[in-house]
Amino acid sequence: MAILELKNLTKSFGSLRAYHNINLTVMKGEVHALLGENGAGKSTLMKTIYGEHAPDSGGEILLHQKKIKLESTAEAIALGIGMVHQHFRLVRPFSVLQNIILGIEPKKWGFLIDYKSARNKIESIMAEFNFFVDLDSKIETLTVGTQQRVEILKILYRNAELLILDEPTAVLTPQEIKDFYIIIKNLKQKGKTILIITHKLHEIKEIADRCTIIRKGEFIETLTVKDASEQELASKMVGREVLLHAVKKEVSPTDICVLEIKNLNVLNSKKLPAIKDFNLILKKGFITGLAGIDGNGQSELVQALTGLKKSESGSVKINEKAITNLTPLEIYQNKLGMIPEDRQRVGLVMDYSIKENLVLQTIDQIPFSKYGVILNNELNKFAVKLIERFDIRPTDPEIKARNLSGGNQQKVILAREIEHNPEVLIAFQPTRGLDVGAIEYIHSELIKLRDSGKAVFLISYELDEILSLSDEIAVICEGKLTALLSQQEISNNKNLKETLGFYMAGGIK
Amino acid sequence: MNDLIIIFTTTLMYSTPLIFVSLGGVMSEKSGIINIGLEGMMTLGAFVASWIALTTGNPWLGFLSGGFAGLLLASLHALASIYWGANQVVSGMAMNFLGGGISIFLCRIFFEGASMTPPLDLALKIPLIFNQYATVYLSFITTLIIWFIFKFTKLGLRIISAGEHPKAAISAGVKVNFYRTFGVLASGFLAGLGGGSLSIVIVSNFRPTLISGQGFIALAALIFGKWNPVGSMLACLFFGFSQALVVYIGGLENVQISSQLLSALPYVLTLVVLVSFMGKSTAPSALGQ
């Protein structure tokens, strides 16, 4: 039986069409995935169902076979629809309990909040669905995974039958993702209906029963997950054949060292050792992968290499030239480029336009400025050239970085760093949060760079990414290099994943 | 001993207006709206309180009218900053000019061109209870009430949620604009009471230089008190104490400090407090947005 049906739904913002003629049927008790690239209109569609903005006239929304019209989220909540947004909507200084009851506080004596009855109700919900959160903790002290549970409790407390989850695993660690899947399975078992937005294919295979694909705001099709392969889903989502695994030529081994890290020691922000006696050589024409679990010193290592943090001792050399503890600009001028982990805070100035972001490090140099005055013509020419070469969309150089999709933000950074012609490019989590199309593009650019004889240092928490790109794999654990696998060792090892997992957990080679 | 009692009494007397205004600041800023216009609301409250007290002969009526005058001015600030999307600091500054200007304008109309009101008859002042003005007790009671609201009631929870994460509040079904308006209006009312407790209690008339920065000192107390009603009250007592010291030292015969220098003391303290506590203090996350 259908719990929710959308018929010919359309929504435009001015001349911009968010989605068009969408048809969607969600059955009661199923896990239904909404699959589409970033910017395909998935989130906007879900916000419509949650009453955050009304659709254009024409289409209709049916809930339990009855036509409904939503004017506000309060109405959606009253009808049993709940949504967990990608960016959680929790009041940080409040306790878990306060966050859950905010807006529908039970009262006693007319004006006091009845915390006791609220607590009882929430505890019975937690017991029913078999996951637990400490109700008295303040939100700001909780991990992201726990905050997500609070959000789910919030909508269960409001008696939601249909739960909408917007990219729920984008910010979770691998362990948290496993726990999350268990919660979803429990919810389904108890008869809740779940509508989940995602662009991760393996996630759909893992938890979804059916899946609806949306491309550029258009409804493509709804299919049963069991019967579809990941490859098929990916192609339908992007609209062309997609390579899920990067293709690269074999490289002949070189011994030409481009970047040399020697006995490097770096402290973290709490003044504790984060990188300990670290030694690594990056070779010309190689992609060197650094595998490791999040938080084992990767951030500090990158900060020390790029000059964002001073190292305590040791040395870093590019082509024999010492760059240890120079300023970030000096290091950049010595041809070390970087794709940072946090593209929005370190990689881009979000309120600058594309063209301004493309010249962040070079704006004071000829041809972009002369006598301290910016030469807009040159700047525009440069920007138009890079936008075309790296296929950045939209193509208007004046658009602010804030208004670009994640994939296009990453392309701006990539364009800037590659155009600078670096000897070494550090790519730190280069595809985090991107969809398959963008991942494919970024990977192919990194391989191109390596084929042109540069050294690429790929640091990633995704083992699959490391495996599909790297020519050599280094492993870091608690700030120490625990293993270095050569090209031969990689190709000869049949249990590569297990081996790497062993080193990542601290095993010594 | 006698000296200590004098300082104690003077501290309470000077703190009272600050406490009212500072609590006003708490109400507005907890809901997410910066109210830099407290000074103007206080000034208008001071004038209206003294005017109504003079014409009706009832100081309590005057005191309340001062509050409502502040509320009226605050409603402009609420309209501009909540509903019309004006910059809250700019709108607040405008309230300061408006409050001061309207007060003197009305004063000249109703008091034959004079820019200050005639003094209130001593018999018509707010009564003393145990040697302290009744408003002193009232300010402490108000502090307790506001503390209670934020700690235990639905109203308080919702005001804070509007100031911390309005989007979260809206998705939970809270009418953020309603609670923000409530906060701003309450802040105007309290600032007006603060002005009244100065013009008809401590001195007995209104004059243009009466407030001269006290609204801003109350704002500093709010920051010093970490946006907490009780903390703000304590901060106001501290500033009141510095004012009392000025009065006390100025009255000593064998101390030779120029009175101008002495009277700068509360303002210097404000500056010191703001510089040293501004960064460490925790403002509501969505303040000013």
Side-chain angles (χ1 to χ4, degrees):
Chain A
M1 200 175 71
I3 183 167
L4 176 81
E5 283 172 86
L6 307 185
K7 288 184 180 162
N8 293 320
L9 222 54
T10 299
K11 171 79 186 170
S12 311
F13 296 102
S15 62
L16 202 76
R17 208 161 64 186
Y19 54 81
H20 180 66
N21 272 342
I22 297 285
N23 291 294
L24 175 69
T25 305
V26 182
M27 307 305 282
K28 183 154 175 48
E30 73 169 344
V31 178
H32 193 113
L34 197 59
L35 177 65
E37 290 188 282
N38 287 322
K42 307 179 300 264
S43 291
T44 315
L45 182 64
M46 290 305 105
K47 284 178 182 169
T48 300
I49 302 174
Y50 191 52
E52 284 187 25
H53 29 60
D56 300 346
S57 56
E60 52 186 40
I61 305 176
L62 282 86
L63 191 72
H64 298 296
Q65 279 86 38
K66 267 190 300 226
K67 200 173 159 180
I68 55 164
K69 213 172 162 182
L70 295 167
E71 305 278 345
S72 69
T73 53
E75 285 179 32
I77 293 170
L79 288 168
I81 301 172
M83 177 162 178
V84 177
H85 291 82
Q86 192 178 359
H87 303 285
F88 298 151
R89 297 193 168 168
L90 297 170
V91 183
R92 294 179 62 81
F94 280 4
S95 70
V96 171
L97 182 61
Q98 286 172 322
N99 264 290
I100 293 172
I101 62 171
L102 178 67
I104 48 168
E105 308 85 351
K107 281 183 287 185
K108 67 179 176 199
W109 306 340
F111 60 99
L112 289 186
I113 298 174
D114 186 359
Y115 282 113
K116 207 170 163 210
S117 74
R119 185 183 295 270
N120 289 339
K121 182 171 172 193
I122 299 167
E123 272 167 359
S124 71
I125 294 173
M126 290 197 293
E128 184 183 353
F129 294 99
N130 200 24
F131 66 97
F132 297 91
V133 181
D134 174 19
L135 295 181
D136 296 311
S137 304
K138 290 242 168 14
I139 296 297
E140 51 205 1
T141 66
L142 301 179
T143 61
V144 178
T146 314
Q147 291 184 23
Q148 184 174 56
R149 293 172 178 207
V150 178
E151 284 279 23
I152 294 175
L153 276 175
K154 221 165 98 181
I155 53 183
L156 290 175
Y157 184 79
R158 287 163 168 75
N159 300 320
E161 282 304 313
L162 175 64
L163 285 75
I164 304 171
L165 307 170
D166 190 356
E167 306 225 6
T169 58
V171 284
L172 301 185
T173 64
Q175 183 55 47
E176 286 173 335
I177 291 177
K178 276 189 197 148
D179 296 341
F180 169 77
Y181 289 162
I182 294 172
I183 293 178
I184 292 299
K185 283 170 186 162
N186 280 340
L187 288 170
K188 185 186 156 185
Q189 206 184 13
K190 300 277 178 186
K192 301 285 182 192
T193 308
I194 292 152
L195 189 49
I196 185 169
I197 302 181
T198 184
H199 55 239
K200 291 187 184 168
L201 302 166
H202 55 88
E203 189 163 303
I204 290 177
K205 293 297 272 184
E206 179 81 28
I207 54 173
D209 301 311
R210 293 196 309 148
C211 150
T212 294
I213 297 168
I214 290 179
R215 189 197 313 144
K216 293 189 179 120
E218 302 277 346
F219 170 82
I220 303 299
E221 73 174 290
T222 297
L223 35 79
T224 308
V225 172
K226 281 207 301 289
D227 307 335
S229 70
E230 283 191 30
Q231 186 65 53
E232 190 185 345
L233 292 173
S235 307
K236 284 187 171 142
M237 165 166 105
V238 182
R240 60 180 164 81
E241 284 298 308
V242 186
L243 300 167
L244 289 178
H245 301 285
V247 216
K248 50 176 194 175
K249 295 188 297 220
E250 285 297 311
V251 277
S252 42
T254 69
D255 283 324
I256 307 168
C257 157
V258 185
L259 185 94
E260 186 190 15
I261 306 170
K262 214 169 178 181
N263 293 324
L264 194 69
N265 282 287
V266 186
L267 299 182
N268 65 15
S269 52
K270 291 178 189 140
K271 304 283 172 214
L272 299 171
I275 291 292
K276 302 161 196 164
D277 291 322
F278 196 89
N279 289 294
L280 187 64
I281 284 174
L282 303 187
K283 294 173 194 157
K284 193 172 158 65
F286 262 55
I287 294 180
T288 307
L290 184 66
I293 298 163
D294 188 0
N296 274 280
Q298 292 96 327
S299 301
E300 288 84 359
L301 177 63
V302 171
Q303 287 169 352
L305 293 179
T306 53
L308 292 171
K309 196 174 210 123
K310 292 260 180 286
S311 55
E312 294 300 300
S313 63
S315 68
V316 183
K317 287 179 187 164
I318 283 190
N319 292 333
E320 303 285 300
K321 186 168 181 280
I323 57 161
T324 328
N325 290 343
L326 296 182
T327 65
L329 185 64
E330 286 165 339
I331 291 174
Y332 183 77
Q333 284 161 348
N334 276 293
K335 299 293 179 190
L336 184 133
M338 164 175 68
I339 300 172
E341 177 181 31
D342 187 342
R343 68 181 81 98
Q344 306 198 334
R345 285 176 56 207
V346 184
L348 297 167
V349 181
M350 296 297 277
D351 284 313
Y352 277 13
S353 62
I354 296 178
K355 72 173 187 192
E356 287 162 338
N357 270 300
L358 284 172
V359 293
L360 283 182
Q361 303 100 326
T362 46
I363 184 69
D364 59 336
Q365 292 159 18
I366 293 173
F368 304 124
S369 65
K370 229 177 192 174
Y371 313 121
V373 178
I374 295 171
L375 302 174
N376 239 320
N377 265 347
E378 292 297 327
L379 198 53
N380 280 331
K381 255 193 276 173
F382 178 73
V384 168
K385 187 181 88 185
L386 288 193
I387 287 171
E388 195 190 318
R389 147 96 170 75
F390 287 90
D391 190 29
I392 296 168
R393 285 180 218 179
T395 57
D396 179 358
E398 303 292 341
I399 286 185
K400 283 186 182 165
R402 184 178 298 288
N403 298 328
L404 298 177
S405 69
N408 281 298
Q409 289 176 348
Q410 199 69 315
K411 283 182 186 173
V412 173
I413 297 174
L414 197 70
R416 179 180 72 208
E417 300 297 321
I418 289 181
E419 181 63 19
H420 188 63
N421 196 20
E423 289 298 320
V424 182
L425 180 73
I426 298 177
F428 193 2
Q429 287 277 72
T431 58
R432 184 165 93 164
L434 304 185
D435 52 54
V436 278
I439 291 175
E440 182 195 27
Y441 183 84
I442 303 277
H443 282 175
S444 73
E445 283 295 329
L446 291 180
I447 291 169
K448 250 192 245 170
L449 199 66
R450 160 249 210 192
D451 290 344
S452 69
K454 310 296 182 187
V456 176
F457 191 22
L458 172 71
I459 301 159
S460 176
Y461 307 137
E462 306 273 345
L463 205 47
D464 288 328
E465 180 165 50
I466 298 265
L467 291 174
S468 76
L469 289 181
S470 309
D471 301 306
E472 265 194 342
I473 299 178
V475 184
I476 190 172
C477 177
E478 290 175 1
K480 281 191 268 215
L481 188 77
T482 49
L484 181 62
L485 303 179
S486 69
Q487 230 177 333
Q488 264 154 352
E489 286 173 287
I490 294 173
S491 47
N492 293 341
N493 193 331
K494 293 214 173 56
N495 297 319
L496 193 54
K497 266 196 178 177
E498 285 70 23
T499 312
L500 287 173
F502 171 71
Y503 295 135
M504 280 160 71
I508 305 287
K509 187 178 179 182
Chain B
M1 192 56 208
N2 212 12
D3 286 4
L4 281 181
I5 291 177
I6 292 173
I7 294 181
F8 179 70
T9 308
T10 332
T11 298
L12 288 182
M13 189 172 85
Y14 279 110
S15 307
T16 303
L18 292 180
I19 292 175
F20 279 118
V21 183
S22 195
L23 290 174
V26 171
M27 291 303 285
S28 172
E29 303 221 337
K30 274 280 185 195
S31 79
I33 304 291
I34 299 171
N35 191 352
I36 212 171
L38 289 172
E39 172 97 358
M41 298 169 193
M42 196 181 173
T43 310
L44 189 64
F47 165 73
V48 172
S50 126
W51 170 40
I52 299 293
L54 272 172
T55 44
T56 62
N58 184 339
W60 286 111
L61 196 61
F63 184 60
L64 269 182
S65 311
F68 281 106
L71 184 146
L72 215 60
L73 192 56
S75 64
L76 267 184
H77 183 50
L79 268 183
S81 52
I82 301 170
Y83 296 95
W84 298 337
N87 180 302
Q88 297 170 12
V89 173
V90 174
S91 161
M93 266 335 267
M95 295 309 125
N96 286 335
F97 293 123
L98 262 178
I102 295 174
S103 301
I104 296 175
F105 178 69
L106 290 179
C107 191
R108 286 187 194 279
I109 290 180
F110 291 109
F111 297 96
E112 294 152 1
S115 63
M116 52 196 277
T117 61
L120 205 59
D121 195 68
L122 274 185
L124 291 180
K125 283 180 82 165
I126 298 270
L128 289 164
I129 304 173
F130 298 122
N131 280 330
Q132 308 292 346
Y133 288 112
T135 44
V136 172
Y137 302 102
L138 206 54
S139 72
F140 291 131
I141 294 170
T142 312
T143 309
L144 272 181
I145 292 176
I146 292 179
W147 170 80
F148 183 85
I149 288 176
F150 283 128
K151 186 90 182 167
F152 295 108
T153 70
K154 179 180 126 175
L155 175 69
L157 194 75
R158 291 185 172 192
I159 290 179
I160 299 175
S161 73
E164 288 288 344
H165 199 330
K167 263 192 176 169
I170 289 171
S171 349
V174 173
K175 296 195 177 74
V176 166
N177 282 352
F178 171 82
Y179 288 97
R180 289 189 155 184
T181 308
F182 180 87
V184 174
L185 294 185
S187 94
F189 184 74
L190 289 167
L193 290 186
S197 68
L198 189 60
S199 69
I200 59 173
V201 183
I202 299 175
V203 298
S204 47
N205 71 341
F206 169 81
R207 54 177 184 273
T209 56
L210 183 65
I211 306 301
S212 58
Q214 300 221 39
F216 290 106
I217 294 182
L219 208 58
L222 154 77
I223 295 166
F224 190 21
K226 301 200 164 171
W227 282 266
N228 177 305
V230 177
S232 301
M233 179 199 74
L234 293 175
C236 290
L237 286 173
F238 170 74
F239 285 123
F241 174 67
S242 78
Q243 191 81 47
L245 273 187
V246 173
V247 175
Y248 176 72
I249 297 172
L252 292 178
E253 283 169 6
N254 46 2
V255 179
Q256 301 293 326
I257 305 175
S258 94
S259 65
Q260 283 86 351
L261 268 184
L262 260 183
S263 51
L265 183 66
Y267 302 94
V268 173
L269 271 178
T270 309
L271 198 67
V272 170
V273 163
L274 276 187
V275 169
S276 38
F277 286 89
M278 193 75 179
K280 293 167 208 148
S281 214
T282 41
S285 314
L287 184 61
Q289 291 164 18

